[in-house]
Structure formats: structure tokens, C-alpha cells
Amino acid sequence: MSNADHSVGRALDMDAQDSLALYRSQFYLPAPNGEPQSYFCGHSLGLQPRWAREYVLEELREWETLGVEGHFRSARPWLSYHERLTPHLALLVGAHPAEVVAMNSLTVNLHLLLASFYRPTPERHKVLIERSAFPSDRYAVVSQLRWHGFDDSALIEIGPRDGESCLREDDIAAALDRDGPSIAAVLLPGVQYLTGQRFNLQQIAALAKQKGCMVGFDLAHAIGNVPLDLHDWNADFAVWCSYKYLNGGPGAIGGAFVHQRHHRDASLPRLAGWWGHDAHSRFAMPDKYVPIAGAEAWQLSNPPILAAAPLLASLELFAQAGIPALRAKSIALTAYLEQLLRERALNRTTLLTPSDQDARGAQLSLRLNVERQRAKSIYEQLAARGFICDWREPDIMRIAPVPFYNTYKEVWLLVDSLLGIMN
Ligand SMILES: *Cc1c(COP(=O)(O)O)cnc(C)c1O
């Protein structure tokens, strides 16, 4: 994509050839002022699938008409409702169905899995994270260290080199090489929330396992965005939320992955609840806890059906469209945004996200090459014109063209408006 046709006509042509174009009509596009917005914020809160409302209303109707019997007799019985999400999630993260479960929210799941997989000893008690980790992950890890009687000195944080925006894979490898024997657990993101950098999870997992570390991934910005293959990559565990690229709605039910090799390990400590107990004898209410053989063993409570219904509606769209097609469009859409920024906006923006398509997902993060207050005002003017991106202090704009509902024309208009405001 470097033959320089920057016309809107080219964007329209690409939209006309887009085999996923029809999916846009499957989502509600916010239109607070009457005109649909150009919504580039799917990295924060994905848009509402049209079927989400129907799926929620259906459960409200079942509750209304069946009461407690809805657990067994509704069209999608609540008792096993979460299982309907499982095959979809397994496909999205590249896992066997028994390795995934929809439950809780991301940070809760992170704690539950660290309770099992962060098992420090005096010689091996450190945790490796990245320096600009999402704050919740850092808080969770530091509180786990304290819970086990350690302090922040047990935290190893690796970051980009001076003057660089992304973390080098070589530096992750070097940290594991250097400190591996003292590291109990590695926790890294699939896609970095601030820079949009995608990590080579296969390589990280292989190195971490070589060094005898447990390795877990935070997939908040990766699931539904980039292809994943957790089982084959040999990750020990992973967690995610469902309201970003998965379009599950605010506070949607999150998810977790536990590799099959851990399913029958009776020595693993676990914070248990009745929903993790063997489903066949759960209602016999036995005293003795018998865990389900799989990721479902980490469930504590019966799941929130009303927070699962919108996710089911969205996951059915993922199943229809397919990850390969979504990823192919995502790569092209983001490359188009990058191309327009580079060639039309020349030196007015600095890209923080890697240019290598394999080292990123949908999102581009950038700085506007103007003074910070002016940059923020440009971002606000874009929003006032209906271009919804996101601003991270002090000066980062995050733009995610989402293959389900964004168009090439919107990308073109975004860059055109940005230039119009900056000129
Ligand atoms: C969005 C996000 C979270 C959110 O955590 P919740 O527990 O769902 O509130 C956590 N970690 C990362 C990396 C995120 O991007």
C-alpha cells in the first residue's frame, strides 16, 4: 500500500470490496447529535450488537414468566448458560473448550489465577511484568506479593529503552535469561493497552517455561483483536475482559484460560466456590469439594446471566465472520490509517505503535507533534466532529479501527479532519 492514491474514492473502493462491510449494520453506532459517530474506541468499549438487547430481554422475560424454573426450563437454561460462551471463547483464544471459562471480571480472574499459579518460594518468588502495565494488573500483582509476605522489591519491571516507545522482545528474553531462576511468575499483555504493541506470546511462553516460570497473559486488548493460540503456545493461564473488542457491554462477564496440563493437579491451591464443584453433584450440596476437571473449576459463583447475554450475541457474530477474515480486514484497515497518517499528515504525528503488522493489533497510538495543550484541544475538536478516539494523559491518542464496524471511508475522514484542524 504505498502507491499514493490518497483520494476518498480509493477508500470508497476498498469499502465496496470489503466482504465484512455488512457487519456494520449489526451494531448500534452512537449518534448523540443525530449523525452516527465514527467510533474508533472499540479498544475501550466495543459497540452494542443489535441482538444484544433481544438476548437480554429474553432472559428478563424468562425470569418474569418462569421465576426460579428459568434455571432449568428457559430456552437457554441459566444453569448452563455460561457453557454457551465456551466454544466461542475457545476459538478466540486457541484453546480446548475445557481450558476456558466465562466468569467474573478481568482483575478478579487475575487474582484467582495468581492464587493458584503464583506460588513463591524463598529462592523463586519474583514476578516479571512490564513497567507500563495497566495499573490494575500492577496493583493486583503487588498486592499478591504482599499477601505472600514480600514487598515491591520482588517485582521485576521491564520497559522500553530510553527514547523508545515499545518494549523489545530481546529485552524480555534477556530479563528471563538473567532473572529466570528467581522468577515465579511472568505476567505480560497480549497487546499493550497504551502503545498497541502486540507481543510474541509463543516466544515469551517458551522462554518462561524453559526457565521454570509460570506464565500468564492479560488478553484485555488481544482477545477479539488478534489471533491467539494459547494451548499450543503453552501458556499456563490467561485472563481477559469482554467489553473491549468483544463488544460484551459495560461490565460484561470476563474470562479465563487454564492450560489442560494443570487440570488434574490436585496439589494446586485454589480459592474455591460451589460453582467450581462438579456440576453433577453440586446440588446434592456435599461437604467435600470436588473440582470440575477444567478451567470451570476456578468458578466461584453462579454467573451473571444478564451480563453474559450481550456477550453471547456478540460472540455469535465472531463465529459467523471468523477470526481470519476479521484479522485480514483489521490489518488492512490499520495499515490504511498508518499510510494516510504517514503520507498525508507527514511529520505532524509520531506513531508509537510498531509498523510491523505482526507486532500490533487494530490500534494505533500516536502523539501529535504540537504542544500538549494544543494536542488535547485537537483531540477534543475531533470528538466534537464525531470522531471518537481516546486520549491518555499526558499526550497519547489511541485510535482503533475495528473491522466489525469501521469503514475505510471513516478512516479517510478521520485523517482529513485531523489535518483540517491542525492546519
Ligand atoms: C481494560 C483492562 C483491564 C480492566 O480490568 P477490569 O478488571 O475488567 O476492570 C485490566 N487490564 C488491562 C491490561 C486492561 O486493558
Side-chain angles (χ1 to χ4, degrees), residues 112-148:
L112 291 175
L113 294 183
L114 286 173
S116 293
F117 295 107
Y118 175 55
R119 304 178 62 196
T121 62
E123 308 75 48
R124 189 190 275 279
H125 63 269
K126 297 193 173 167
V127 180
L128 177 74
I129 66 170
E130 32 138 16
R131 199 194 304 139
S132 44
F134 192 85
S136 198
D137 297 42
R138 194 174 191 286
Y139 304 154
V141 167
V142 169
S143 66
Q144 286 274 341
L145 296 177
R146 298 209 169 130
W147 179 254
H148 286 279

Side-chain angles (χ1 to χ4, degrees), residues 43-44 104-110 130 132-138 189-194 218-222 239-244 251-252 254 398:
H43 52 54
S44 275
N104 311 312
S105 49
L106 189 154
T107 309
V108 174
N109 291 338
L110 183 54
E130 32 138 16
S132 44
F134 192 85
S136 198
D137 297 42
R138 194 174 191 286
V191 173
Q192 217 282 342
Y193 81 102
L194 199 54
D218 180 330
L219 303 179
H221 283 259
V239 294
W240 57 87
C241 51
S242 307
Y243 44 81
K244 294 172 179 170
R398 302 186 306 168

Side-chain angles (χ1 to χ4, degrees), residues 281-332:
S281 64
R282 185 184 292 142
F283 286 90
M285 306 292 190
D287 281 344
K288 186 174 158 36
Y289 171 77
V290 179
I292 298 171
E296 287 196 12
W298 276 264
Q299 296 176 111
L300 298 180
S301 306
N302 71 99
I305 303 303
L306 298 180
L311 179 58
L312 182 57
S314 176
L315 292 181
E316 287 174 355
L317 293 176
F318 276 93
Q320 276 173 29
I323 303 292
L326 284 164
R327 174 66 176 156
K329 176 175 172 186
S330 175
I331 287 172

Side-chain angles (χ1 to χ4, degrees), residues 90 93-96 99 200-206 209 215 217 228-236 257-261:
V93 301
H96 298 314
E99 294 176 312
N200 185 335
L201 302 187
Q202 177 170 24
Q203 195 173 76
I204 293 168
K209 295 321 294 173
V215 56
F217 295 124
L228 296 161
D229 229 338
L230 295 181
H231 176 87
D232 285 349
W233 294 345
N234 238 350
D236 290 296
F257 162 91
V258 178
H259 198 281
Q260 143 187 298
R261 68 177 167 274

Side-chain angles (χ1 to χ4, degrees), residues 370-391:
V370 293
E371 181 270 322
R372 200 193 75 85
Q373 276 311 321
R374 167 123 173 84
K376 186 150 190 191
S377 143
I378 292 166
Y379 157 77
E380 284 162 358
Q381 290 175 65
L382 274 175
R385 295 183 185 191
F387 295 96
I388 306 306
C389 306
D390 143 305
W391 179 266

Side-chain angles (χ1 to χ4, degrees), residues 22-316:
L22 280 172
Y23 281 96
R24 182 172 163 89
S25 66
Q26 295 292 318
F27 291 85
Y28 287 109
L29 303 168
N33 304 316
E35 272 294 296
Q37 292 174 331
S38 292
Y39 191 83
F40 293 104
C41 226
H43 52 54
S44 275
L45 184 76
L47 290 181
Q48 181 181 152
R50 286 188 177 259
W51 278 99
R53 178 198 312 237
E54 194 42 49
Y55 278 35
V56 173
L57 284 177
E58 212 169 295
E59 300 315 321
L60 287 172
R61 271 187 237 110
E62 302 278 37
W63 179 23
E64 177 184 331
T65 55
L66 293 172
V68 69
E69 287 292 306
H71 281 301
F72 315 98
R73 289 182 39 218
S74 52
R76 298 184 181 90
W78 303 331
L79 214 54
S80 55
Y81 197 97
H82 62 282
E83 295 170 11
R84 293 173 188 275
L85 304 168
T86 301
H88 298 299
L89 295 174
L91 267 181
L92 286 169
V93 301
H96 298 314
E99 294 176 312
V100 300
V101 60
M103 61 180 189
N104 311 312
S105 49
L106 189 154
T107 309
V108 174
N109 291 338
L110 183 54
H111 274 299
L112 291 175
L113 294 183
L114 286 173
S116 293
F117 295 107
Y118 175 55
R119 304 178 62 196
T121 62
E123 308 75 48
R124 189 190 275 279
H125 63 269
K126 297 193 173 167
V127 180
L128 177 74
I129 66 170
E130 32 138 16
R131 199 194 304 139
S132 44
F134 192 85
S136 198
D137 297 42
R138 194 174 191 286
Y139 304 154
V141 167
V142 169
S143 66
Q144 286 274 341
L145 296 177
R146 298 209 169 130
W147 179 254
H148 286 279
F150 300 102
D151 59 29
D152 296 21
S153 66
L155 198 62
I156 303 178
E157 294 175 276
I158 43 171
R161 297 187 185 181
D162 284 347
E164 300 184 2
S165 55
C166 291
L167 186 50
R168 296 193 194 189
E169 307 258 327
D170 286 351
D171 289 349
I172 302 177
L176 280 167
D177 224 36
R178 192 179 55 240
D179 295 318
S182 67
I183 296 174
V186 174
L187 177 69
L188 288 169
V191 173
Q192 217 282 342
Y193 81 102
L194 199 54
T195 64
Q197 180 184 13
R198 177 192 188 194
F199 290 102
N200 185 335
L201 302 187
Q202 177 170 24
Q203 195 173 76
I204 293 168
L207 290 171
K209 295 321 294 173
Q210 250 172 43
K211 295 288 172 187
C213 320
M214 286 291 180
V215 56
F217 295 124
D218 180 330
L219 303 179
H221 283 259
I223 191 167
N225 180 16
V226 295
L228 296 161
D229 229 338
L230 295 181
H231 176 87
D232 285 349
W233 294 345
N234 238 350
D236 290 296
F237 68 94
V239 294
W240 57 87
C241 51
S242 307
Y243 44 81
K244 294 172 179 170
Y245 294 97
L246 287 192
N247 314 309
I253 188 169
F257 162 91
V258 178
H259 198 281
Q260 143 187 298
R261 68 177 167 274
H262 299 299
H263 293 184
R264 291 186 189 278
D265 179 357
S267 73
L268 265 192
R270 181 189 291 118
L271 298 175
W274 76 317
W275 225 253
H277 179 93
D278 170 40
H280 301 105
S281 64
R282 185 184 292 142
F283 286 90
M285 306 292 190
D287 281 344
K288 186 174 158 36
Y289 171 77
V290 179
I292 298 171
E296 287 196 12
W298 276 264
Q299 296 176 111
L300 298 180
S301 306
N302 71 99
I305 303 303
L306 298 180
L311 179 58
L312 182 57
S314 176
L315 292 181
E316 287 174 355

